[in-house]
Amino acid sequence: YDLFDAPLTEHGEGQARSLAATASAGAGGGAFPGGVELALTSPLTRAARTCLLALPPCTAAAARRYEVTALLAEHLTDSCDVGRTPGELATEFP
C-alpha cells in the first residue's frame, strides 16, 4: 500500500456499498428523503472512494453535486493522511 494515501479496505468498501442501498431508497422516504444535495469529501483516496461507493453517480443514490475539499482532510498525524496531488486524484476519479 501507498502509506501516504492508504486505500479503502474491503470492509470499508462493503460498508459504503451498504449505505448506497439505503440511500437509494431516499426518494421513497429512506435514509435521505429528497436525496443528497451536496456530497463533500476529503481529498484522501479512501474518503473519495467511500463517497462514490456510498452515493454512486448515475444511480438513485447519487448526490446532485460532489465536491472535494482539503478542509475535510484528517490532520497529519500518520503517513496515511498525507494524500496525493490533485492530478493523481483526477486520474483515478475522473
Side-chain angles (χ1 to χ4, degrees), residues 59-77:
T59 68
R64 289 177 187 81
R65 197 171 109 218
Y66 297 83
E67 190 172 313
V68 177
T69 176
L71 295 173
L72 297 176
E74 293 87 343
H75 296 282
L76 178 58
T77 58

Side-chain angles (χ1 to χ4, degrees), residues 2-94:
D2 177 358
L3 294 180
F4 290 100
D5 193 7
L8 186 61
T9 64
E10 286 184 37
H11 180 71
E13 287 189 9
Q15 290 177 313
R17 285 188 179 100
S18 292
L19 182 57
T22 303
S24 292
F32 307 114
V36 175
E37 185 66 35
L38 173 64
L40 296 170
T41 183
S42 119
L44 293 175
T45 298
R46 63 186 177 272
R49 182 88 175 127
T50 298
C51 179
L52 293 176
L53 287 172
L55 301 168
C58 303
T59 68
R64 289 177 187 81
R65 197 171 109 218
Y66 297 83
E67 190 172 313
V68 177
T69 176
L71 295 173
L72 297 176
E74 293 87 343
H75 296 282
L76 178 58
T77 58
D78 298 299
S79 62
C80 64
D81 296 337
V82 173
R84 294 183 289 165
T85 67
E88 290 173 312
L89 289 171
T91 299
E92 186 169 340
F93 301 103

